Amino acid sequence: MASEHLASVMVQAFIDAVDAGLDVVPVVSDSTSTAKIGPFVQRFPERLINVGIAEQSLVSVAAGLALGGKIAATCNAAPFLISRANEQIKVDVCYNQANVKMFGLNAGTSYGPLASTHHSLDDISVMRGFGHVQIFAPADATECRQIVDYALRHEGPVYIRLDGKALPDVHGAGYQFKPGQVDILRQGADVSIVALGSVVHEAVDAAALLAEQGIQAQVINLSSIRPLQRDVLLSALSGTRAVITVEEHNINGGVGSLVAEVLAEAGLGIGLTRLGIGDGEYAAAGAREPTRALHNIDAAGIVAAATRLR
């Protein structure tokens, strides 16, 4: 799979799961277009539940379905899932360990010009604050499909952050996702670049540019936020002289904070630079490319940060 929209990958995984005998029931909040759920509805019209623009009801209905034995999957925009249904996620799903798979669609700044109301820059930090929930953020279609397949068969709450654009593959045909794994895409001894979701592609491009300058960058795709093999991550980071984290997310509570925790708890004195949306800031309203450039989370921004650490 190459340059495929991650929501379409999700929907195909739902179809294949039902065909395989899994009792999957997607729940949307008037978000059929966002979820690209049409092909599923054509095959299984009786399985889709649309609660309307009512995100709290979306999550509570999904929790009820799960507690009744279904594999419930909420499919709506990440900013509205996380902000409007915060209490229902915490209590109805996580506290009860209900078998709900929550898909945060169009995450980060996918909505571009629609600005802060539609940007999802705190979802990882919010979900990390809740117990009993696994958290993933695939970087491409290949990884997305494997994460969704795993989530539908895993018993318990799962949150999956999905970008709103088609993404080319960064993984080869032999890639095999494992929950908790530290996915090293490129080896390098000078600096480690740890990235989340769609900006993994920026990190890969930055590493190629840095190599032209004689700087060898290790690129780590941190798609499994919880669970996470922290000892493996620590071992990978300890082999380089500095670390840069990159995320289309606020620098508080996301990958930057997670990596800082791992380094600090181990007492490892490696320099850390966190790239993301700054403390107390909102992302700019506009097309993604200039927005990333403004916040230094594009390839050029990563290269500049790495060069300063040299």
Side-chain angles (χ1 to χ4, degrees), residues 9 31 58-59 81-82 89 119 127 143 203-204 208 212 226 228 247:
V9 175
S31 49
L58 169 87
V59 174
L81 171 67
I82 298 301
I89 293 172
H119 292 167
M127 296 307 296
E143 186 172 51
V204 170
E212 296 175 0
R226 185 193 290 152
L228 174 63
E247 53 197 318

Side-chain angles (χ1 to χ4, degrees), residues 103-269:
F103 291 87
L105 307 177
N106 292 358
T109 65
S110 295
Y111 280 115
L114 294 182
S116 300
T117 57
H118 284 60
H119 292 167
S120 180
L121 304 173
D122 55 7
D123 55 320
I124 298 298
S125 60
V126 170
M127 296 307 296
R128 286 187 68 214
F130 294 154
H132 301 151
V133 58
Q134 296 194 352
I135 307 167
F136 304 105
D140 63 18
T142 295
E143 186 172 51
C144 180
R145 176 56 194 256
Q146 294 187 33
I147 287 176
V148 177
D149 286 345
Y150 162 78
L152 293 177
R153 288 164 175 78
H154 168 76
E155 183 69 29
V158 177
Y159 174 68
I160 302 177
R161 176 188 232 238
L162 296 184
D163 194 84
K165 308 297 181 185
L167 299 174
D169 276 350
V170 293
H171 295 98
Y175 171 74
Q176 182 61 53
F177 169 78
K178 296 179 181 177
Q181 73 180 356
V182 176
D183 182 25
I184 301 176
L185 298 177
R186 181 181 179 126
Q187 299 284 351
D190 293 324
V191 61
S192 291
I193 306 172
V194 185
L196 170 75
S198 61
V199 291
V200 168
H201 298 265
E202 305 284 359
V204 170
D205 291 344
L209 293 171
L210 287 167
E212 296 175 0
Q213 301 180 28
I215 300 174
Q216 299 305 315
Q218 174 178 233
V219 178
I220 298 175
N221 163 37
L222 208 61
S223 55
S224 185
I225 304 298
R226 185 193 290 152
L228 174 63
Q229 295 177 334
R230 291 187 173 218
D231 56 336
V232 177
L233 177 60
L234 182 63
S235 177
L237 298 179
S238 64
T240 55
R241 296 196 295 270
V243 179
I244 298 171
T245 61
V246 191
E247 53 197 318
E248 199 169 270
H249 185 279
N250 192 277
I251 60 171
N252 297 312
V255 167
S257 293
L258 176 56
V259 170
E261 293 162 15
V262 170
L263 294 175
E265 288 171 356
L268 194 61

